[in-house]
Amino acid sequence: MIFTEEWLRQYVNPALSTDELAEALTMAGLEVEEVTTAAPAFTGVVVAEVLTCRDHENSDHLHVCEVNAGTGETLQIVCGAPNVKAGIKVACATIGAVLPGDFRIKKSKLRGVVSMGMLCSTRELGINENHDGIWILPDDAPVGTDIREYARLDDAKIELKLTPNRGDALSVVGVARDVHAITGAPLILPSMAPVPATCECRLPVEIQAPDLCGRFSSRVIRNLNPKAKTPEWMKSRLERAGQRSVSALVDISNYVMLELGRPTHFYDIKKLNADRLTVRWARDGESVKLLNGETVELTPWYGVICAGDEPECLAGIMGGDRSSINDETTDLFIESAFWFPKAIQGRCRKLNFSTDAAYRYERGVDYASTAEHLEYITQLVLDICGTPETKVGPVEDVVANLPERAPVKMRVDRCCKVVGVDIPLESMEESFKRLGFEYTLENGVFTVVPPSFRFDIEIEEDLIEEVARLWGYEKLPDRPPLARIAMKPSREERRSAHALRLEMADLGYQELINFSFVPEEWEVAFAANEKPIRLLNPIASQLSVMRTQLIGGLVDILRYNLNRRAERVRVFELGRVFFPDTSVEEGPWTVKGVRQPQHIAGLAYGTADDAQWGVPARRVDFFDVKGDVERLIRPLKARFVKESFPALHPGRSAGIYVGEKRIGFIGELHPRVMQQFDLTHAPVVFEVAVDPLMELPLPDYKPVSKFQPVTRDLAVVVPADLEVQVLFDAVAAAKKKDLRLAPLTDFRLFDLYRPKEGEGAGEKSLAFAIELNSRTDEALNDEQTEGAVRAILEVLEEKGARLRQ
C-alpha cells in the first residue's frame, strides 16, 4: 500500500514529523517499509512561460524558445521536445541548477545557438518515466515559483507492508483511522452526502448466489462528457501511489479504491444488451473475455456477473472486455458490491494473474458502506465528467446476505496477563473509542461488536492485540528471564532425527529438501496410490497432492543432475509423508484425519566409489546401499526380507525389518519407472520410517571372557532359492531354547558358491564362521564346542541344508 503524506494529512493531521509518523505507524503494527519523496533531490528548477517558439535554423527537430522564468530577463533556451510551443507553462532548469544524477545546467551552444537553461520532462526530474515531451503545467502556475514548492515534490510517499489480516488498512482512510487511534488527532472523513436522482434510469440486479455476493449497490448515470480530463490533484495522487492515469472515469474508480478501499466497476451501459444483471456462480463450459484481453474458461468455482444470462464480468476480480468503458462512453452503470472473501480467495492464483480489487476482496471489504461510497463516487463523476444534460438515476441497493459479526469478549485480567503489563482500564476504553468499536463493560469483561470494516476481529486475542499496540509496544518493559538457563541432558535411550542426517552425510550422501506436495502421477508410479490427499488450493497445477513417499523427489533430482552431466549421485531426504487416517484427532501438531510420520530416504547412482587407481570401477549395487542402511540404523539390527514394491524391481528389492516390524524397503528402481524418468541405469533406493529408529537399547554391561574364543567353519549345501536370512533366524531362535548354543557369540556368512551348470543345478554352497566363547569361569572343552556345532548343524538341516562333503 503506497500513499502520500499530504493525502493522509487531509483526513488526520497529527503533530508529528514524517519520520515520527512513520515510526508511530510501524510500532502500531502497520510496518512502514519505505519513505521517499515524490521526486529525488534537485535544485534550480522553476515555473516558466514559453513566450515564443521557432524552429532551429540548423536542425530539423530542435526549437529555439524565448522563456520567462521570473528572473527579470528573457532566457533563450534550445529545446528538442515535440510538444513545446508558445504560451505554455513549463518546468525550467536555470543556469546553475542541479538535476537528479548530479547533472548540472550550464550555458551552452546547440548547433551554434546559445541555450541559457533547459526545459525539463518529468522523467528528467525523476518524477516518473514519462518522456513523451516536456512537462506542461497548468495555465495558472505562477511564473518563477520553485517547482518543488508548486508541485509539492517534497511530499513524502509512504509504503506500508501490511499483514494479510489488515485488509482495512489498504486505503488512505483506513490508515487515517489507525493514525487517529494511535495519536488521538481529529479524524475528518470524506463527505458521503446523497446525490439526488434526476431521472428514473435503472438496471435491475438479481443476486442468485447469496454465498457469493452479499450486497450489490448500483446506479445509472447518463450523458457524461467522455473527453473530460482528470484533475491534476487526482492524477498526481494516483501517480504517486503507483497508479498510471488512464482516463477520467478509470482514474475516478482507481482513486476511490485507494482512498476508501472500495473496489468498484464501471460499465458502458450502452454495451449491455440486457434489461437486468444477474449475479451467480458460473457454469461448466462458459467463458468470458476480460479487460486484460484473456478469455477465461469458467467452472462453478468462479462467480460471474451476467448481462441477462451471458457472463459479463468475473465477480470481484476483473471486468469484461465487452462492456468496458472508453473515450466514447457517455452512459455509465456503476457497481459497488460486497463479495465474500472465501468466494474470491485463490481464484487469481488459479488464473495466474492478480488484480487490486481481488487483493482487497480476499482480505475483506466493508459491507456496510457500499451505498455511501456509491454516493461519493457519483459526486466525483459529476464534478469531473458531468454536463448540463447529465442525468442521475436512483441508487439500487440489493441486500442478499450480510456477514454476522458476533460480539467478542475480552477479560481485563486476561489482557493484562497476556501482555504482561497492568494496562489501565481507562486506556483500554480509550483504545476502543478511538478505533470506533462499540463496546460495553461489565464485571471486568469488555463485550465488543467489531465494525463492518474490521474482518480481523474474531477472538479475544484480537482485542488484546488492539489494546497492546495502541498502548505502545515500546512501553513494554524489558524483563530478564526468571529462571537460570540450563542445558537439558540428552536421553541415552533416544536419538534425534538430526543424528540420522549426520550419519547419512558421513556416508557421502547430500541432503535434499523437497516440497511436501507432488504431482499425482508420482503417487501412482512410486506408491500405487490412486487416492492421495488432494490440495484444495495448490501453488501450481502439477503440485496437487500430498506425498506418501520420498522416492519421487529423489528420482526427480537425480534426473536434474544427470541432465547436467553428473555421473555419481548420492542424495537423501528426511521429511514428512501424509496418509489419510480417520483415527487421528486434531492436535497442536496434527491435522484431523491425516497421519504425518517422518521418513528418511536415500538414492545411490553411478559408480560405487569415486574414480581411483587402487579399486576397479563398478556400478553401485543393492548390497552397497544395504550396508549404508545397516550403518544408518545401528545399533539396531535390521533384517532384509525379499518382497515386492510398486516402484522397485520385483527381483531386486526387499523389505527392511527391525524385529518383527517392517520399517521400510530397499531395492533397484523398476524398469518401468526408469523409462518414465529417462534413466539409463537403475539407481538403488531405500526408504524407512524415522520413529522406529529413535529408540535405542540402553548399554548392557557384560564382562569380557578371560578365555580366548573358539572358532569353527561350517559349510552346507542348500537349495538355490533358500534365503540366508531364514537360516540366521532359525539359529537365533534355537539359541534361546537349546543350552548347547549358550556359548555362541557370532554366526555369520563368509562365503557363497554357486556351481556351474550341470555340476549341481538348483543348489548353492554357504560357508559360515562360528565363534564360541565361555560364559563361565571355565574354558570351553571339546565336548561343548562339538555340541554347539552339532546343534547349529541340526537347525540348518531342519531348513533343508546338508553338510558339504
Side-chain angles (χ1 to χ4, degrees):
M1 174 66 189
I2 302 176
F3 58 91
T4 65
E5 183 180 4
E6 173 265 338
W7 195 355
L8 176 66
R9 289 186 183 273
Q10 177 181 336
Y11 305 120
V12 59
N13 191 14
L16 300 175
S17 66
T18 302
D19 291 340
E20 291 171 339
L21 177 61
E23 178 67 15
L25 285 170
T26 298
M27 293 307 297
L30 303 183
E31 181 184 352
V32 175
E33 192 165 34
E34 186 179 26
V35 178
T36 58
T37 54
F42 61 81
T43 59
V45 183
V46 298
V47 177
E49 181 180 8
V50 179
L51 302 177
T52 64
C53 179
R54 59 183 176 84
D55 293 338
H56 195 292
E57 298 175 354
N58 300 319
S59 173
D60 58 355
H61 71 280
L62 296 178
H63 307 278
V64 180
C65 304
E66 302 291 332
V67 177
N68 174 19
T71 60
E73 61 177 334
T74 301
L75 304 179
Q76 178 176 279
I77 297 177
V78 178
C79 176
N83 60 338
V84 65
K85 60 183 179 180
I88 62 174
K89 299 287 182 69
V90 295
C92 176
T94 56
I95 300 298
V98 181
L99 301 187
D102 199 29
F103 180 70
R104 299 179 181 273
I105 303 299
K106 301 176 182 178
K107 180 179 177 180
S108 61
K109 279 189 176 182
L110 294 176
R111 301 283 180 92
V113 177
V114 174
S115 181
M116 302 294 291
M118 174 180 172
L119 305 186
C120 303
S121 69
T122 52
R123 189 170 76 170
E124 289 164 338
L125 297 179
I127 299 173
N128 55 39
E129 292 300 314
N130 184 10
H131 197 52
D132 296 336
I134 57 174
W135 184 10
I136 299 179
L137 303 174
D139 294 338
D140 58 355
V143 173
T145 303
D146 190 306
I147 197 68
R148 297 193 72 91
E149 176 185 348
Y150 170 74
R152 307 183 309 282
L153 298 182
D154 290 320
D155 186 17
K157 293 196 298 183
I158 301 175
E159 182 175 0
L160 298 183
K161 184 179 180 181
L162 298 173
T163 52
N165 63 313
R166 289 305 306 273
D168 64 293
L170 287 169
S171 66
V172 178
V173 167
V175 176
R177 288 195 188 102
D178 251 38
V179 173
H180 163 68
I182 297 165
T183 65
L187 177 65
I188 303 173
L189 295 177
S191 172
M192 305 285 177
V195 176
T198 57
C199 70
E200 289 300 318
C201 303
R202 302 172 186 268
L203 182 61
V205 177
E206 179 185 0
I207 300 177
Q208 296 181 355
D211 54 337
L212 166 66
C213 179
R215 186 176 184 182
F216 197 107
S217 303
S218 59
R219 171 174 254 167
V220 175
I221 306 178
R222 296 188 181 275
N223 301 327
L224 294 171
N225 175 17
K227 306 295 184 182
K229 299 295 183 183
T230 304
E232 285 299 321
W233 61 268
M234 180 180 287
K235 185 184 297 184
S236 172
R237 287 180 175 179
L238 288 173
E239 289 178 349
R240 293 176 187 181
Q243 291 280 352
R244 181 175 59 90
S245 177
V246 180
S247 65
L249 290 176
V250 173
D251 290 350
I252 290 170
S253 179
N254 289 335
Y255 179 81
V256 171
M257 180 181 65
L258 294 175
E259 184 177 43
L260 305 181
R262 170 67 60 191
T264 58
H265 185 59
F266 290 178
Y267 301 76
D268 188 331
I269 198 169
K270 290 182 178 179
K271 299 177 182 178
L272 293 173
N273 299 319
D275 57 357
R276 68 173 52 245
L277 294 184
T278 304
V279 179
R280 60 171 172 81
W281 293 107
R283 304 182 186 119
D284 287 322
E286 291 183 324
S287 63
V288 60
K289 186 177 181 181
L290 303 177
L291 289 173
N292 61 3
E294 292 187 21
T295 298
V296 176
E297 300 297 326
L298 301 174
T299 68
W301 193 49
Y302 297 99
V304 291
I305 303 171
C306 300
D309 201 43
E310 287 292 319
E312 194 67 42
C313 296
L314 209 51
I317 297 176
M318 185 179 288
D321 178 72
R322 184 168 52 190
S323 59
S324 61
I325 59 175
N326 54 34
D327 292 341
E328 304 299 325
T329 299
T330 58
D331 296 350
L332 201 64
F333 176 79
I334 304 176
E335 165 205 322
S336 173
F338 167 72
W339 308 98
F340 282 95
K342 289 185 178 180
I344 307 300
Q345 290 167 355
R347 274 68 175 179
C348 280
R349 186 181 296 120
K350 185 76 171 178
L351 297 170
N352 293 322
F353 64 78
S354 181
T355 65
D356 290 331
Y359 186 79
R360 286 163 171 79
Y361 281 126
E362 286 176 337
R363 287 153 177 77
V365 175
D366 186 3
Y367 57 84
S369 58
T370 56
E372 294 177 2
H373 290 176
L374 186 60
E375 301 285 4
Y376 182 72
I377 298 166
T378 302
Q379 191 61 59
L380 284 176
V381 171
L382 295 179
D383 291 344
I384 298 172
C385 303
T387 67
E389 292 78 26
T390 299
K391 300 295 182 181
V392 180
V395 172
E396 294 283 334
D397 189 17
V398 181
V399 179
N401 177 28
L402 297 184
E404 295 182 4
R405 305 308 306 276
V408 181
K409 296 183 181 295
M410 187 194 79
R411 295 161 289 178
V412 174
D413 292 344
R414 172 69 175 166
C415 178
C416 295
K417 181 178 180 180
V418 170
V419 178
V421 177
D422 290 332
I423 300 177
L425 184 64
E426 295 76 14
S427 177
M428 297 182 186
E429 290 193 84
E430 183 65 20
S431 297
F432 293 146
K433 288 177 182 178
R434 289 183 179 182
L435 288 167
F437 292 2
E438 296 181 7
Y439 71 91
T440 58
L441 175 61
E442 186 176 352
N443 298 326
V445 178
F446 282 97
T447 301
V448 177
V449 178
S452 56
F453 53 84
R454 289 296 297 270
F455 279 75
D456 59 317
I457 306 299
E458 296 180 335
I459 58 177
E460 183 178 28
E461 284 71 14
D462 295 330
L463 295 177
I464 294 174
E465 179 186 3
E466 296 299 304
V467 170
R469 72 186 186 91
L470 295 186
W471 167 256
Y473 293 134
E474 69 280 2
K475 295 180 182 179
L476 298 179
D478 295 329
R479 294 176 179 171
L482 301 179
R484 292 180 63 86
I485 298 176
M487 198 174 236
K488 292 184 178 181
S490 58
R491 294 171 54 187
E492 194 173 5
E493 78 282 6
R494 189 169 180 83
R495 60 180 160 189
S496 68
H498 189 61
L500 301 179
R501 291 189 174 96
L502 293 176
E503 187 64 41
M504 291 300 294
D506 288 343
L507 290 168
Y509 290 75
Q510 292 183 317
E511 184 174 10
L512 304 177
I513 300 177
N514 288 313
F515 284 129
S516 295
F517 17 89
V518 299
E520 186 173 358
E521 55 267 24
W522 285 13
E523 281 299 299
V524 176
F526 293 102
N529 183 11
E530 300 285 350
K531 296 182 179 180
I533 299 174
R534 298 185 180 278
L535 293 170
L536 296 177
N537 188 20
I539 63 170
S541 59
Q542 71 273 19
L543 304 178
S544 58
V545 301
M546 302 302 292
R547 65 187 180 186
T548 61
Q549 43 71 38
L550 305 179
I551 301 300
L554 301 184
V555 174
D556 187 56
I557 295 299
L558 169 64
R559 178 173 58 177
Y560 179 89
N561 281 271
L562 294 179
N563 289 340
R564 285 151 184 81
R565 307 291 299 214
E567 296 180 354
R568 186 174 184 271
V569 178
R570 299 288 188 281
V571 290
F572 81 96
E573 180 176 7
L574 194 155
R576 295 195 179 276
V577 292
F578 303 83
F579 299 95
D581 190 343
T582 55
S583 65
V584 177
E585 297 294 332
E586 190 80 27
W589 304 106
T590 60
V591 178
K592 186 176 182 180
V594 179
R595 184 166 53 89
Q596 308 176 45
Q598 281 190 315
H599 282 195
I600 184 169
L603 177 147
Y605 181 91
T607 57
D609 299 289
D610 287 322
Q612 54 178 299
W613 63 270
V615 178
R618 64 176 181 83
R619 300 201 67 81
V620 67
D621 60 21
F622 175 93
F623 298 100
D624 293 315
V625 180
K626 174 177 175 288
D628 292 341
V629 173
E630 290 174 332
R631 282 190 56 183
L632 172 66
I633 69 176
R634 66 180 181 181
L636 301 175
K637 299 294 184 181
R639 293 190 304 112
F640 297 85
V641 179
K642 182 180 178 181
E643 293 180 11
S644 296
F645 298 90
L648 303 185
H649 192 296
R652 300 175 185 176
S653 59
I656 304 173
Y657 286 77
V658 171
E660 299 301 320
K661 181 179 180 182
R662 191 178 76 187
I663 64 170
F665 56 82
I666 181 174
E668 288 187 5
L669 205 62
H670 198 288
R672 166 181 43 80
V673 182
M674 287 174 53
Q675 183 179 10
Q676 182 178 342
F677 282 82
D678 297 325
L679 301 178
T680 307
H681 302 286
V684 183
V685 299
F686 73 88
E687 182 171 337
V688 296
V690 169
D691 284 347
L693 308 183
M694 295 294 98
E695 298 294 336
L696 301 177
L698 285 173
D700 183 17
Y701 170 73
K702 294 179 181 178
V704 178
S705 176
K706 295 182 293 184
F707 307 102
Q708 292 184 350
V710 177
T711 60
R712 293 286 189 272
D713 292 343
L714 184 62
V716 296
V717 177
V718 299
D721 59 351
L722 180 66
E723 297 176 14
V724 178
Q725 187 64 48
V726 173
L727 304 181
F728 285 142
D729 293 344
V731 171
K735 184 180 177 182
K736 298 178 182 179
K737 303 176 182 179
D738 195 334
L739 294 178
R740 292 177 296 172
L741 295 178
L744 181 63
T745 56
D746 191 19
F747 179 74
R748 64 183 181 276
L749 177 71
F750 72 87
D751 186 47
L752 166 65
Y753 173 72
R754 295 182 184 274
K756 297 179 181 179
E757 292 185 10
E759 295 181 2
E763 292 184 324
K764 60 185 176 182
S765 175
L766 305 175
F768 296 94
I770 302 171
E771 183 179 287
L772 306 169
N773 211 331
S774 175
R775 298 294 187 183
T776 66
D777 293 335
E778 296 181 1
L780 292 177
N781 54 40
D782 291 342
E783 183 180 352
Q784 291 173 314
T785 301
E786 294 304 323
V789 174
R790 284 197 303 273
I792 293 174
L793 183 57
E794 291 171 5
V795 172
L796 299 182
E797 288 175 344
E798 290 178 0
K799 298 299 180 181
R802 72 175 187 275
L803 189 64
R804 191 171 71 188
Q805 300 299 326

